[in-house]
Amino acid sequence: MYPHERSLVQKLADKPFAIIGVNSDRDLEKIRETTKQKNISWRSFWNGPQGTGGPISTRWGVTGWPTIYIIDAEGKIRYKNARGPKMDEALTELLAEMGHEVDLTKHEDPGEAPKDDAKPNP
Amino acid sequence: MQMRWLLVLGCLLITACSNPGDETSQTPSSTPPQVASKTESPEATPAPEEKKTEPPKEEAKPEPKQEEAKPEPKQEEAKPEPKQEEAKPEPKQEEPKPEVTDATPAEQIKTIIAEYSKAQGSLMTEARKMPGNEGRDFYFANLPKLQQKCGADLNAVVAANADDPANFDAIMWITMNMAGSDTGTKAMDTLFEKYIENEQMVKLCAVMAQGRMPVKNPVAKFEQLIEKSPHDAVKASATMALAKTVKDETRAEELYESLIANYGDLRSQMTRGKTFKEAADNALFQLKYLSIGKIAPDIEGEDLDGVAFKLSDYRGKVVVLDFWGDW
């Protein structure tokens, strides 16, 4: 997921688009660190210390991870669990409805954040 | 990507033999059950219907489907699964013996299914060594042969021991693993003709409710079960499965309401240990508020830095709402 999502964030940076996560890790400190390391730049709700049993995922009836909803500009649920190329198609369609033409056929992963000790060769 | 389907398949194998009522296996934070294939009767675990993994390219394969609803391990987290001892090809000196055996039909059926699981494990081990999608293609090209052999062996035992109660397990295996084929269709017909009163039909409801078993007219099957089963657990499971299957939202709502009214306190494999009331309430909430076309319920919470925000703050944008975890 991450490479695809990172790529979407980059490609759609100037479009009315956002990835919103609901993170179900129990350990908040650890997941904060992970988001830095893995360059997860999009915003996430935290599902709380109960992890997958937390309030948001429970209310949304989520029993499998990842679960994905794609929501349009009006706030309407339009797709469930469309991933990979299907997600691209869905986003292309929904952005087109708003008059934005995008091409998501190719993805280049901007990659994870460089580690501190990764110095370029002299 | 190539790791992903293998992991999914790995999960399938594990699921096939794990306790079907074990709800913790639904959550990614649980410890994966250990090696899959040698345990007793494989039972399919019902799965959240929204979970879909990519189906195999070429043809619909019922068997992996019924379990594919496990939470998928993230690609990044891909770890090799514990190797299965059985996967090592052992030099066999003995030729397969003729079927003369003292084993009871039940034991024979168990052995045949165990052998299938073992062969499936070996096939997967072999497939995992291949690069790219080759392994996946190899796996799905060869799996039907194993299924056909297992189905034929099971049918032979069934034919030789007419009316043995253990036949049910054999016929159920064939029905769930070979759906869509002639053999599978015949087995399903037999189930409904001879075993419709069996309490284990709950299992079939749970798997069929996921909607990925290639069965003609599942609605009629569920209706038959509701009408003819003497067991509340089967009636309730079939009602739940029917509610998940029907396209008509109003009918689905009525079915869930009737579940709550008639079987509210009951628990079964279908509901993964929850009561039917809990499961139906959950399904009703999803139906009313989380179906395609509904306005997404707002989420109010805090981000990972403790800053409060709302999902509706993003109105006006296309939003990918991703329930994720890094495990």
Side-chain angles (χ1 to χ4, degrees):
Chain A
M1 283 305 288
Y2 302 146
H4 185 220
E5 291 180 329
R6 281 195 295 255
S7 165
L8 286 172
V9 167
Q10 197 183 45
K11 287 194 103 167
L12 301 177
D14 59 345
K15 300 287 185 292
F17 167 76
I19 299 179
I20 301 295
V22 178
N23 175 270
S24 292
D25 282 277
R26 286 165 193 266
D27 187 338
L28 186 57
E29 283 305 320
K30 207 170 141 198
I31 194 60
R32 273 187 199 145
E33 192 51 40
T34 306
T35 53
K36 277 180 209 139
Q37 273 171 14
K38 297 192 175 170
N39 195 13
I40 298 169
S41 59
W42 50 96
R43 203 172 188 189
S44 283
F45 291 101
W46 187 47
N47 202 23
Q50 288 171 289
T52 53
I56 306 174
S57 62
T58 302
R59 182 168 153 85
W60 282 65
V62 174
T63 50
W65 281 260
T67 286
I68 291 164
Y69 285 85
I70 299 181
I71 298 168
D72 69 14
E74 293 170 20
K76 236 182 235 172
I77 296 169
R78 297 287 296 271
Y79 291 90
K80 278 188 195 178
N81 287 321
R83 299 189 213 168
K86 283 188 184 157
M87 183 189 286
D88 293 341
E89 280 169 33
L91 296 177
T92 305
E93 178 198 327
L94 298 185
L95 287 166
E97 286 177 7
M98 302 174 71
H100 296 277
E101 295 300 326
V102 295
D103 175 14
L104 295 176
T105 49
K106 280 182 196 153
H107 283 288
E108 278 164 36
D109 178 15
E112 295 180 5
K115 299 230 168 69
D116 291 341
D117 54 352
K119 298 210 174 77
N121 289 329
Chain B
M1 279 317 280
Q2 69 269 31
M3 280 311 293
R4 178 159 147 176
W5 72 267
L6 289 168
L7 280 162
V8 171
L9 290 168
C11 288
L12 308 184
L13 201 59
I14 289 163
T15 318
C17 298
S18 65
N19 179 355
D22 178 9
E23 194 180 1
T24 57
S25 70
Q26 294 301 314
T27 62
S29 52
S30 68
T31 315
Q34 291 304 305
V35 178
S37 48
K38 59 185 166 194
T39 41
E40 303 81 310
S41 67
E43 302 189 28
T45 306
E49 63 185 0
E50 72 270 23
K51 294 301 308 163
K52 284 185 183 115
T53 49
E54 304 133 40
K57 269 185 235 160
E58 319 91 301
E59 318 158 49
K61 296 292 184 301
E63 201 219 16
K65 286 187 174 176
Q66 72 205 33
E67 294 116 344
E68 71 188 354
K70 305 306 294 180
E72 288 165 42
K74 298 263 180 172
Q75 223 176 318
E76 291 80 356
E77 294 285 284
K79 283 184 191 127
E81 283 157 30
K83 289 260 161 66
Q84 293 169 288
E85 298 150 31
E86 305 97 313
K88 290 174 204 156
E90 283 171 26
K92 279 195 181 161
Q93 277 133 2
E94 299 163 40
E95 286 302 307
K97 288 177 190 159
E99 296 298 318
V100 183
T101 168
D102 293 335
T104 64
E107 286 163 350
Q108 292 177 49
I109 287 165
K110 208 167 147 182
T111 307
I112 292 167
I113 293 174
E115 275 169 8
Y116 166 81
S117 300
K118 191 165 143 184
Q120 189 197 14
S122 304
L123 177 63
M124 194 187 301
T125 308
E126 213 177 320
R128 292 187 61 189
K129 292 177 187 154
M130 300 179 179
N133 283 333
E134 269 178 49
R136 171 198 164 107
D137 295 345
F138 175 79
Y139 182 85
F140 285 119
N142 285 284
L143 189 63
K145 291 175 205 160
L146 300 181
Q147 290 172 333
Q148 279 153 21
K149 180 181 183 308
C150 184
D153 290 352
L154 288 172
N155 270 331
V157 175
V158 169
N161 303 281
D163 296 328
D164 190 284
N167 288 352
F168 177 80
D169 292 339
I171 296 167
M172 182 66 110
W173 188 95
I174 298 170
T175 303
M176 298 210 292
N177 290 279
M178 300 179 75
S181 71
D182 287 350
T183 311
T185 307
K186 217 180 261 179
M188 168 125 10
D189 291 345
T190 309
L191 268 190
F192 277 78
E193 279 158 26
K194 292 179 88 169
Y195 298 97
I196 195 155
E197 297 192 351
N198 192 303
E199 196 164 7
Q200 293 298 310
M201 293 295 265
V202 168
K203 231 192 278 184
L204 187 68
C205 293
V207 173
M208 281 176 65
Q210 295 166 32
R212 291 192 285 276
M213 232 171 98
V215 174
K216 276 181 208 153
N217 202 353
V219 165
K221 299 280 186 226
F222 297 136
E223 285 171 342
Q224 271 186 61
L225 284 168
I226 294 169
E227 187 192 340
K228 293 185 179 156
S229 176
H231 303 285
D232 281 356
V234 178
K235 285 178 185 289
S237 299
T239 306
M240 185 106 199
L242 183 59
K244 285 178 186 289
T245 306
V246 292
K247 298 270 178 274
D248 178 355
E249 212 174 284
T250 316
R251 172 126 196 254
E253 280 180 28
E254 286 166 4
L255 288 163
Y256 286 125
E257 299 290 358
S258 81
L259 265 181
I260 295 170
N262 298 320
Y263 306 107
D265 295 335
L266 199 66
R267 297 167 197 268
S268 92
Q269 180 184 337
M270 183 78 197
T271 50
R272 289 192 213 102
K274 290 188 176 144
T275 64
F276 274 96
K277 177 174 183 340
E278 287 167 323
D281 279 343
N282 194 346
L284 278 172
F285 182 85
Q286 293 212 27
L287 199 62
K288 286 180 185 160
Y289 303 108
L290 296 172
S291 312
I292 307 268
K294 309 279 180 182
I295 297 288
D298 203 4
I299 300 175
E300 294 183 41
E302 290 183 0
D303 67 17
L304 301 181
D305 295 320
V307 180
F309 76 114
K310 290 188 289 192
L311 179 61
S312 55
D313 294 343
Y314 291 81
R315 203 54 69 79
K317 293 185 179 192
V318 175
V319 173
V320 169
L321 182 67
D322 179 4
F323 289 82
W324 68 287
D326 192 87
W327 44 67

